[in-house]
């Protein structure tokens, strides 16, 4: 089986298809207590939720614990999803990212995290273990490569590392204002490179 | 000075989108600013969607126990109601019928998104609009419910069924890719070997197939998927690798 080969005839899947939006429909059904809809959402998003949390939290057991909390919160608060404010995937991933950050910023291991270097967090170090992830990863990596070094390191440390921008400034030895604008400029470049629509 | 301060806040959109502000006080202050600054709010939305792409790229197969743990917790966890007095902007397109409650807003968003994805010639656009309306109608039906099953080939299939509408909407996630000489074909399997073709799965995008509508459901039908030669078959030529009874 060669997933890449069989995709060759497909148009460039640069943006999420209808199934991405379908997640919003699932959330509406979940809000009505539909467990089947939740199971379907689990199948679509548990990989990104767990993967993102593990990047930030690192420890697998804690990552699993936080993932469970996040997915349960999605179930509990599905009625509060507002499609006008962003996509369903973004709503879920925002919950996941914030919970992961709460965990690392409050944990006693926080000081050990300071030892980490930006390089360890860059996406290419990881091995994609799903076809979907490897396609997404390839695209994201291509766009990250188009950033300046400071932009790339700031975004990577902040998002995948869970660092605050003050901590990022400390790690990279740069001024706070510099990090602030590098993160914004870099993200805007990523947005345009990935063809994100909102 | 005030202008400088505003500018200062505006450039925090990226940091805020990555949840990288340092304190709750900083977040509160920026969110107050967002309520007043429409262009900032719009920029934050786009940058958050961008961050979601970074999250998708980090996907990892979760530990096998997670699914069971989460589903078990779900059955005993009470849900919160929607926040009251919630101002929701009007749907952006007029052609979608007004439907009840939260489902309507989401259904509209889906229809709009699908319209954008499927848009081509005017003729295609009209067709896809009709199709999207039909899909939205199934998903918004009062009796709509979702059935999900793992398949024996890996991945999963989900069916939103409305017995009242006699229709279903099918999506899949993570089915193994097929060579171009094969397709996934959907079937409605009734009593007495009454097997009706229900469409061909579209090519996946990032492992997911976009919602596909099938109509003419009969009481007691089972939904199934087989691998068929390109173009599909009038009757299945291989065994279904997933079967979902659509009771009711």
């Amino acid at each position: 089986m060669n997933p890449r080969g069989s995709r060759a005839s497909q148009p460039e899947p640069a943006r999420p298809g209808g199934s991405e939006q379908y997640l919003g429909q699932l959330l509406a059904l979940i809000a009505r207590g539909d467990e089947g809809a939740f199971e379907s959402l689990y199948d679509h998003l548990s990989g990104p939720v767990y993967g993102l949390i593990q990047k930030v939290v690192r420890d697998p057991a804690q990552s699993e614990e936080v993932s469970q909390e996040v997915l349960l919160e999605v179930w509990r608060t599905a009625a509060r999803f507002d499609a006008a404010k962003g996509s369903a995937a973004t709503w879920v991933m925002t919950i996941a990212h914030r919970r992961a950050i709460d965990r690392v910023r409050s944990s006693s291991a926080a000081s050990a995290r300071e030892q980490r270097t930006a390089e360890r967090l860059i996406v290419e170090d990881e091995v994609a273990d799903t076809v979907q992830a490897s396609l997404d990863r390839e695209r994201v990596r291509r766009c990250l490569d188009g950033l300046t070094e400071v932009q790339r390191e700031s975004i990577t440390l902040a998002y995948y590392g869970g660092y605050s921008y003050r901590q990022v400034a400390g790690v990279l030895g740069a001024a706070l204002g510099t990090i602030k604008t590098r993160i914004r400029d870099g993200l805007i470049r990523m947005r345009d490179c990935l063809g994100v629509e909102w | 000075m005030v202008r400088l301060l505003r500018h200062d806040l505006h450039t925090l959109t990226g940091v805020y989108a990555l949840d990288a502000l340092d304190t709750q006080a900083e977040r509160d202050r920026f969110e107050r600013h967002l309520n007043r600054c429409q262009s900032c709010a719009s920029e934050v939305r786009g940058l958050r969607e961008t961050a979601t792409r970074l999250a998708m790229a980090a996907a990892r197969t979760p530990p096998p126990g997670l699914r069971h743990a989460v589903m078990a917790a779900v059955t005993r966890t009470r849900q919160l109601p929607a926040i009251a007095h919630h101002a929701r902007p009007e749907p952006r397109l007029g052609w979608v019928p007004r439907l009840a409650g939260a489902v309507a807003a989401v259904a509209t968003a889906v229809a709009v998104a699908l319209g954008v994805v499927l848009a081509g010639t005017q003729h295609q656009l009209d067709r896809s609009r009709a199709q999207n309306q039909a899909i939205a109608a199934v998903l918004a039906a009062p009796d709509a419910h979702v059935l999900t099953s793992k398949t024996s080939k890996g991945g999963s299939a989900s069916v939103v069924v409305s017995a009242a509408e006699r229709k279903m909407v099918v999506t899949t996630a993570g089915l193994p890719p097929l060579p171009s000489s094969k397709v996934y074909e959907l079937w409605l399997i009734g009593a007495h070997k009454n097997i009706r073709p229900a469409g061909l799965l579209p090519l996946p995008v990032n492992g997911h197939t976009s919602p596909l509508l099938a109509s003419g459901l009969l009481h007691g039908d089972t939904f199934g998927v087989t691998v068929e030669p390109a173009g599909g078959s009038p009757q299945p030529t291989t065994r279904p690798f997933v079967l979902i009874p659509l009771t009711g």
Side-chain angles (χ1 to χ4, degrees):
Chain A
M1 186 107 33
N2 179 358
R4 255 172 225 166
S6 69
R7 282 170 176 272
S9 61
Q10 220 178 304
E12 168 70 16
R15 64 177 162 201
S19 54
E20 171 82 13
Q21 308 302 319
Y22 173 76
L23 295 172
Q25 290 283 1
L26 287 180
L27 280 177
L29 291 166
I30 292 166
R32 301 195 306 199
D34 190 323
E35 291 181 20
F38 183 79
E39 219 169 337
S40 180
L41 187 100
Y42 180 96
D43 288 335
H44 280 81
L45 290 182
S46 60
V49 164
Y50 178 72
L52 176 64
I53 289 170
Q54 217 217 2
K55 267 211 182 276
V56 177
V57 174
R58 308 304 283 192
D59 175 66
Q62 281 200 53
S63 302
E64 186 172 356
E65 205 179 294
V66 176
S67 300
Q68 187 176 339
E69 285 170 18
V70 166
L71 290 161
L72 209 57
E73 186 169 337
V74 169
W75 163 259
R76 257 174 14 95
T77 60
R80 306 202 167 166
F81 165 65
D82 184 350
K85 287 187 180 164
S87 72
T90 292
W91 185 69
V92 173
M93 299 322 299
T94 300
I95 295 174
H97 195 243
R98 287 181 175 172
R99 281 282 182 125
I101 281 176
D102 286 349
R103 179 64 66 109
V104 292
R105 291 206 189 142
S106 68
S107 88
S108 55
S111 58
R113 293 172 62 252
E114 303 298 328
Q115 307 303 319
R116 281 197 232 153
T117 60
E119 289 85 81
R120 282 188 53 200
L121 291 158
I122 301 283
V123 267
E124 22 205 338
D125 292 349
E126 308 276 338
V127 179
D129 60 358
T130 67
V131 174
Q132 181 192 343
S134 67
L135 283 169
D136 287 334
R137 190 159 306 178
E138 215 170 275
R139 218 169 293 134
V140 165
R141 182 187 305 156
R142 209 176 56 219
C143 292
L144 276 174
D145 283 346
L147 304 183
T148 68
E149 201 177 327
V150 180
Q151 287 173 345
R152 185 168 51 244
E153 287 184 347
S154 305
I155 289 174
T156 307
L157 282 167
Y159 194 65
Y160 288 143
Y163 285 63
S164 75
Y165 79 123
R166 202 172 300 274
Q167 289 171 320
V168 172
V171 170
L172 298 182
L176 200 57
T178 306
I179 296 305
K180 184 172 69 173
T181 51
R182 293 303 179 274
I183 285 180
R184 174 168 177 257
D185 295 346
L187 270 183
I188 287 172
R189 258 161 97 165
M190 286 295 286
R191 180 192 71 196
D192 297 343
C193 175
L194 290 165
V196 171
E197 292 179 4
W198 74 100
Chain B
M1 183 62 197
V2 169
R3 193 173 300 159
L4 244 179
L5 210 63
R6 285 255 168 85
H7 178 259
D8 207 45
L9 275 171
H10 185 82
T11 53
L12 275 175
T13 48
V15 172
Y16 177 77
L18 297 186
D19 307 310
L21 287 171
D22 278 273
T23 62
Q24 186 61 46
E26 262 186 313
R27 276 194 292 277
D28 292 345
R29 180 159 164 257
F30 186 72
E31 281 171 3
R32 278 198 301 277
H33 174 67
L34 274 186
N35 286 335
R36 292 192 308 266
C37 173
Q38 222 173 13
S39 68
C40 306
S42 169
E43 185 170 298
V44 164
R45 261 205 307 281
L47 299 185
R48 273 208 184 284
E49 296 296 335
T50 306
T52 297
R53 300 297 188 85
L54 292 176
M56 294 301 178
R60 242 168 207 271
T61 306
L66 182 63
R67 184 193 181 92
H68 179 75
V70 169
M71 290 315 296
V74 154
T75 57
R76 50 168 200 267
T77 302
R78 186 182 290 210
Q79 294 176 293
L80 299 181
I83 295 165
H85 310 300
H86 197 72
R88 207 181 269 281
E90 285 298 302
R92 270 177 285 180
L93 289 185
W95 52 267
V96 175
R98 294 291 296 269
L99 304 165
V103 179
V106 185
T108 305
V110 169
V112 170
L114 284 174
V116 170
V117 170
L118 300 173
T121 64
Q122 187 57 46
H123 175 66
Q124 283 172 335
L125 192 61
D126 291 343
R127 268 187 43 200
S128 69
R129 279 182 179 179
Q131 167 91 352
N132 296 339
Q133 285 193 55
I135 288 176
V138 174
L139 293 157
D143 71 331
H145 60 285
V146 185
L147 303 163
T148 298
S149 176
K150 298 241 166 224
T151 88
S152 61
K153 285 180 175 295
S156 63
S158 284
V159 188
V160 185
V161 188
S162 165
E165 300 270 333
R166 294 182 56 206
K167 286 177 180 151
M168 64 177 184
V169 175
V170 179
T171 59
T172 68
L175 293 187
L178 293 174
S180 58
S181 59
K182 305 274 184 197
V183 290
Y184 287 117
E185 186 160 3
L186 314 179
W187 305 96
L188 288 169
I189 304 160
H192 311 298
K193 297 205 172 170
N194 172 18
I195 304 179
R196 290 105 63 207
L200 305 178
L201 276 188
L203 281 172
V205 177
N206 291 344
H208 301 277
T209 57
S210 57
L212 185 76
L213 178 74
S215 47
L217 263 64
L218 298 176
H219 183 79
D221 271 345
T222 292
F223 165 78
V225 187
T226 63
V227 176
E228 300 294 334
S233 308
Q235 287 290 298
T237 62
T238 61
R239 294 186 70 82
F241 58 90
V242 59
L243 287 169
I244 304 178
L246 313 170
T247 47

